[in-house]
Amino acid sequence: MKVTEYFEKAKGQTLISFEVLPPLKGGSMQAIFDTLDPLMEFRPPFIDVTYHREEFIYKKRTSGYYEKVAIRKRPGTVGICAAIMHRYGVDAVPHLICGGFTKEDTENALIDLNFLNINNVLAIRGDARKFDGKFIPEEGGHTFAIDLVKQVVEMNKGKYLYEDIENGLKTDFCIGVAGYPEKHFESPNLDFDLWQTKAKIDAGADYIVTQMFFDNKKYFDFVKRCRAIGIDVPIVPGLKPLTKLYQLNSIPRIFHIDLPDDLVKAVQSAKDAEARTQAGIEWCIHQSKELKKNGAPCLHYYTMGDSDTIRQIAEAVY
Ligand code: FAD
């Protein structure tokens, strides 16, 4: 079933969903099951699986020189989606990125997904590779997420890259895109970013999942501003608990978001690691309850392999 159909069927009830990362290359599928098994009792209708482009690493050779090599550290998104659907009987939403894909690679990936009966995708651009400094698209690939959305929409109409395919199978993908309550870091301002988000919806995207945020006001403002410019699709808040001291710096650095003062103080003043984790969990529970009370269509938790914490939050909220 499509993600948006779940929202329609829920008739205003707030659903729950989870996002998992493929294990590092050499790891096993069991790591994903270990994360999800304790969470399935909350009955998520769908689970997202992230996609990771190849990264550059520098390898020291015997000559003493360093060689720049590309490696995909977290492969397996599509296989994980299939395994999740098989084990739990829920829908899986693979993330599909522009980076590293030519348009033809994308077309072939969509064909694979369609054959696997996966009919939801989250269409995103992907981040810059380490050492690239800025996002560099694959030659013959897409530069922005909107171009990816357009390609999926074309396939939904049965239009493939090669015009000599007549009566091509019409896929039926439901398309999610990313949204940024605190703006995407490359955008000159929030309004500019909102209009780019609107363009993705106008191009055919069906719903938005937000970047994580720790201040609900940012989400409520974002939804209000989206509605004001005519974005009328469901906007799913993305949530992650902050449970470690180092995350006070790493989360703003990596995700380009602010942390509210009260959260920072609560984490800093906790007497030990356990109390810190608890403070982060309490914060996320409070956020979740408020979002639910205010009619968010779904709470989407970034698990990052930490099912214990997410479980405690889900237990308190659902
Ligand atoms: P876009 O929508 O293309 O926007 C990127 C930037 O370009 C924005 O600043 C936008 O305002 C600007 N822009 C867009 N269109 C135009 C235009 N026509 N002209 C000028 N500027 C424009 N990354 C991964 O690698 N794998 C994942 O699985 C993954 N999952 C994610 C899930 C969610 C819910 C979110 C919020 C992010 C995820 N990311 C993931 C990170 C994402 O790839 C980065 O945030 C990336 O930098 C932007 O992706 P986007 O789809 O928002 O890009």
Side-chain angles (χ1 to χ4, degrees):
M1 215 159 114
K2 294 181 179 184
V3 165
T4 45
E5 286 172 346
Y6 287 115
F7 297 151
E8 281 155 25
K9 221 175 106 191
K11 295 200 169 78
Q13 295 265 6
T14 302
L15 302 176
I16 188 168
S17 62
F18 303 112
E19 182 167 308
V20 292
L21 262 77
L24 286 167
K25 193 177 263 190
S28 96
M29 185 62 211
Q30 193 55 44
I32 300 286
F33 294 150
D34 289 346
T35 300
L36 289 177
D37 281 355
L39 299 175
M40 294 315 289
E41 71 175 81
F42 302 105
R43 305 169 72 85
F46 61 91
I47 290 165
D48 277 48
V49 184
T50 57
Y51 194 96
H52 299 263
R53 189 183 185 175
E54 84 281 9
E55 286 173 36
F56 288 126
I57 54 164
Y58 282 90
K59 273 198 158 175
K60 195 172 184 181
R61 295 299 179 201
T62 43
S63 60
Y65 287 109
Y66 284 86
E67 190 188 356
K68 190 178 176 187
V69 281
I71 175 171
R72 272 193 66 207
K73 290 187 178 169
R74 292 183 185 274
T77 299
V78 176
I80 292 170
C81 284
I84 285 174
M85 288 167 74
H86 183 250
R87 182 174 173 104
Y88 303 114
V90 300
D91 276 290
V93 184
H95 292 189
L96 198 60
I97 64 172
C98 303
F101 281 74
T102 63
K103 288 174 200 157
E104 187 166 4
D105 292 337
T106 298
E107 185 167 276
N108 294 338
L110 288 166
I111 289 169
D112 276 343
L113 296 176
N114 187 51
F115 287 169
L116 283 166
N117 206 20
I118 293 173
N119 46 23
N120 294 286
V121 290
L122 191 83
I124 44 194
R125 188 195 69 180
D127 275 323
R129 280 172 302 200
K130 237 189 229 169
F131 307 117
D132 271 352
K134 61 172 187 175
F135 176 79
I136 301 175
E138 192 71 14
E139 209 180 320
H142 297 304
T143 306
F144 294 112
I146 187 174
D147 306 314
L148 189 51
V149 171
K150 286 179 182 166
Q151 186 173 1
V152 183
V153 167
E154 286 296 286
M155 273 189 69
N156 281 349
K157 292 180 191 155
K159 287 191 193 151
Y160 290 71
L161 292 173
Y162 298 111
E163 283 155 10
D164 47 353
I165 297 178
E166 281 174 21
N167 300 319
L169 179 79
K170 290 182 186 170
T171 54
D172 192 19
F173 288 105
C174 171
I175 310 166
V177 289
Y180 301 84
E182 299 180 55
K183 104 174 174 65
H184 184 262
F185 71 103
E186 291 168 24
S187 279
N189 58 50
L190 186 54
D191 271 344
F192 177 94
D193 204 34
L194 279 170
W195 284 103
Q196 304 307 330
T197 306
K198 181 166 183 335
K200 292 191 276 191
I201 304 304
D202 292 346
D206 300 295
Y207 70 102
I208 296 170
V209 184
T210 76
Q211 180 59 280
M212 68 181 75
F213 55 89
F214 291 84
D215 178 354
N216 283 352
K217 193 174 170 303
K218 302 265 169 74
Y219 169 81
F220 294 133
D221 284 352
F222 177 71
V223 174
K224 210 164 139 194
R225 293 175 81 144
C226 283
R227 301 304 182 224
I229 62 166
I231 298 176
D232 55 6
V233 298
I235 302 177
V236 176
L239 293 166
K240 177 186 154 43
L242 184 159
T243 52
K244 310 269 187 310
L245 197 56
Y246 72 82
Q247 291 174 327
L248 290 180
N249 305 114
S250 66
I251 287 179
R253 188 180 66 245
I254 298 169
F255 300 104
H256 309 278
I257 58 170
D258 280 349
L259 299 177
D261 239 4
D262 287 348
L263 172 62
V264 176
K265 281 180 191 146
V267 171
Q268 276 181 330
S269 63
K271 68 177 189 317
D272 55 23
E274 200 180 316
R276 254 190 302 278
T277 302
Q278 218 43 51
I281 288 174
E282 290 305 324
W283 188 273
C284 193
I285 289 173
H286 175 75
Q287 267 195 287
S288 304
K289 284 185 173 170
E290 191 179 38
L291 290 163
K292 198 165 168 236
K293 197 169 139 208
N294 283 276
C298 178
L299 304 183
H300 183 72
Y301 292 98
Y302 299 112
T303 66
M304 300 192 176
D306 181 5
S307 53
D308 278 358
T309 307
I310 304 292
R311 199 186 142 81
Q312 286 185 57
I313 295 161
E315 260 173 351
V317 179
Y318 284 88

